[in-house]
Amino acid sequence: MGSAVGKLLGLLLCLQCLIELHGVFIRFTNVTCESKDLSSSIVEYCAVTNLSKNKNSIRLRYTMLKPMLRNVEVYFQLLTRGSESINTVSNWQPFLYTLKLDLCRFWKNHHNHLARMVFEFIEGHTNLNHSCPYTKENYISIEDVTNTEVSGKIRGVPMPKGFYALFTKLSTENISRVQTNFYFEVLSP
């Protein structure tokens, strides 16, 4: 009985090693949050928290001082940074995708594959997961999204080792309200 359990544990360990070797594993390095319109929102908190040696998470919350009614747009831009450059905005270069998304339309029919993938990263961790209007929200939050969860969801996505950033802006009525930038490192392709 003991050797069967040992073999099973060994097999599971080997499978985990294969997954880590053939999948993408990321580590969050930073998150920045900025309210672009202090009359509509303020940053309550914004942080990366280390949970263990290989696991960290992101938490952020914007307090909304005015409701977001309609014409809610989210802008996403995925960037990469050269290995020789330092962490400055000018050293970030577009990687693959730039997307401007009508959030109200997206929640009606999930029409954009890339946007679906991005929102799957925060599924179950945010209150931005329903159709417009956003009239009862006192805040926008993303709570406890871990690097291990995101790593599991992007397996098979071709991303070489290196440093990346996902820059996001949320606007209503064509006015930028909040900007959140997520920084991460791909440790294994």
Side-chain angles (χ1 to χ4, degrees):
M1 181 73 161
S3 68
V5 170
K7 287 179 183 177
L8 179 60
L9 288 174
L11 179 62
L12 290 173
L13 182 60
C14 285
L15 286 173
Q16 179 64 30
C17 290
L18 285 173
I19 289 170
E20 291 299 324
L21 288 173
H22 292 95
V24 173
F25 187 78
I26 70 160
R27 177 179 63 87
F28 299 127
T29 57
N30 197 13
V31 61
T32 61
C33 303
E34 180 182 359
S35 177
K36 296 292 205 177
D37 177 6
L38 294 174
S39 70
S40 69
S41 65
I42 56 172
V43 178
E44 194 171 321
Y45 53 83
C46 180
V48 173
T49 304
N50 288 320
L51 303 173
S52 68
K53 181 181 175 186
N54 294 320
K55 188 174 184 179
N56 61 11
S57 68
I58 290 177
R59 297 181 66 231
L60 62 95
R61 180 183 285 207
Y62 291 95
T63 299
M64 303 308 293
L65 304 173
K66 295 178 184 176
M68 297 185 303
L69 300 173
R70 303 200 186 284
N71 301 324
V72 180
E73 290 185 331
V74 181
Y75 173 81
F76 300 99
Q77 185 176 24
L78 184 60
L79 303 125
T80 187
R81 187 182 82 200
S83 59
E84 71 286 344
S85 62
I86 57 173
N87 193 10
T88 62
V89 174
S90 63
N91 290 319
W92 290 100
Q93 302 297 319
F95 179 61
L96 289 177
Y97 306 108
T98 299
L99 173 67
K100 186 174 183 181
L101 178 71
D102 178 331
L103 193 60
C104 298
R105 181 174 166 234
F106 172 77
W107 286 124
K108 285 182 183 176
N109 61 17
H110 295 248
H111 65 285
N112 187 295
H113 177 71
L114 180 60
R116 266 196 323 261
M117 190 167 101
V118 170
F119 280 104
E120 283 175 5
F121 296 156
I122 59 174
E123 186 175 36
H125 298 279
T126 186
N127 64 335
L128 271 181
N129 55 359
H130 65 82
S131 60
C132 295
Y134 288 92
T135 56
K136 297 184 190 271
E137 281 72 18
N138 296 324
Y139 60 88
I140 297 172
S141 71
I142 298 174
E143 299 291 336
D144 303 319
V145 174
T146 66
N147 65 318
T148 54
E149 286 176 285
V150 173
S151 295
K153 291 178 180 180
I154 62 172
R155 296 224 185 272
V157 174
M159 292 182 76
K161 288 182 182 182
F163 293 92
Y164 295 85
L166 179 63
F167 288 6
T168 69
K169 277 188 232 174
L170 184 133
S171 64
T172 60
E173 309 301 326
N174 293 319
I175 300 169
S176 286
R177 305 296 182 179
V178 300
Q179 180 171 332
T180 309
N181 297 338
F182 301 91
Y183 300 88
F184 59 98
E185 180 181 9
V186 171
L187 300 168
S188 60

